[in-house]
Amino acid sequence: DSGVTQTPKHLITATGQRVTLRCSPRSGDLSVYWYQQSLDQGLQFLIQYYNGEERAKGNILERFSAQQFPDLHSELNLSSLELGDSALYFCASGLDRGGTDTQYFGPGTRLTVL
Amino acid sequence: EDQVTQSPEALRLQEGESSSLNCSYTVSGLRGLFWYRQDPGKGPEFLFTLYSAGEEKEKERLKATLTKKESFLHITAPKPEDSATYLCAVEPNFGNEKLTFGTGTRLTIIP
């Protein structure tokens, strides 16, 4: 158990809908990272937040957005969902003391768009 | 653009048969190279971080090594519980914590 929690575990929804995925980082970690993992593309970095501020952005679609709250939990919002958005979404957290930051991953949310 | 290539894509070994997994990388300055293990439907589990060429780290039956262009994950006398996908990732050296992952090697250990 990495100490990172994600809810829900599974989510089934329809095209065009909007969903929110939630992540709570390990105690003491200030950074939260979001990743998408699909069968054909592997793990793709989406976005990073550090202590409430956006720090780095990867291949995140404009339909997707994220935020980190004062208690450091984070939410990833996915809107106007398409079939291709079906994937595993992982959250990771880290200390980010400067230098290399080891990222610890949560169990993921499996999103199925029908 | 940072790139990570892992080989082979899949590897089947008999229990006790040692082998190595390869991770080749291209990055504009390496801050760190990470190895993770991922079981089906689960989140990646951190194994090792390597920082500089020549560095080695060990954990049970696994040993990771690093050169300037690639990393190897050596598995010695594997057991069926070592079956998983092993992921390699690199972090660039310019202050961005974005990890670039390879697509992994799916390792199956046959009893």
Side-chain angles (χ1 to χ4, degrees), chain B residues 54-69:
Chain B
E55 188 175 1
E56 298 183 353
K57 287 195 176 171
E58 287 189 64
K59 179 180 179 179
E60 296 180 355
R61 294 175 292 282
L62 300 176
K63 182 168 82 171
T65 62
L66 181 65
T67 72
K68 288 187 178 179
K69 293 184 178 180

Side-chain angles (χ1 to χ4, degrees), chain A residues 93-114:
Chain A
S93 76
L95 283 168
D96 195 17
R97 291 176 175 160
T100 307
D101 184 23
T102 297
Q103 297 180 26
Y104 295 89
F105 284 76
T109 293
R110 182 177 294 279
L111 174 66
T112 302
V113 182
L114 301 175

Side-chain angles (χ1 to χ4, degrees), chain A residues 37 45 55 90 100 103 106, chain B residues 31 34 36 38 43 51 98:
Chain A
Q37 187 176 42
F45 169 72
R55 173 161 282 194
F90 290 104
T100 307
Q103 297 180 26
Chain B
R31 175 175 284 183
F34 300 81
Y36 286 85
Q38 186 175 25
Y51 297 97
K98 177 177 79 74

Side-chain angles (χ1 to χ4, degrees), chain A:
Chain A
D1 184 357
S2 67
V4 179
T5 61
Q6 290 187 248
T7 57
K9 288 186 179 180
H10 302 279
L11 202 48
I12 301 174
T13 188
T15 55
Q17 295 298 305
R18 173 189 169 94
V19 297
T20 297
L21 313 183
R22 182 187 169 105
C23 167
S24 292
R26 296 185 319 158
S27 176
D29 285 353
L30 297 178
S31 268
V32 169
Y33 308 79
W34 285 98
Y35 290 84
Q36 179 191 58
Q37 187 176 42
S38 54
L39 282 174
D40 57 345
Q41 290 208 333
L43 263 171
Q44 299 289 315
F45 169 72
L46 296 177
I47 196 164
Q48 180 207 357
Y49 276 81
Y50 174 78
N51 204 20
E53 300 288 328
E54 181 184 306
R55 173 161 282 194
K57 215 167 189 178
N59 302 318
I60 188 166
L61 300 172
E62 286 191 10
R63 300 183 285 110
F64 296 0
S65 65
Q67 54 185 325
Q68 186 179 28
F69 295 86
D71 67 352
L72 300 177
H73 91 271
S74 179
E75 293 180 356
L76 179 67
N77 299 295
L78 314 176
S79 61
S80 302
L81 285 167
E82 302 175 358
L83 295 177
D85 297 327
S86 295
L88 272 166
Y89 290 85
F90 290 104
C91 159
S93 76
L95 283 168
D96 195 17
R97 291 176 175 160
T100 307
D101 184 23
T102 297
Q103 297 180 26
Y104 295 89
F105 284 76
T109 293
R110 182 177 294 279
L111 174 66
T112 302
V113 182
L114 301 175

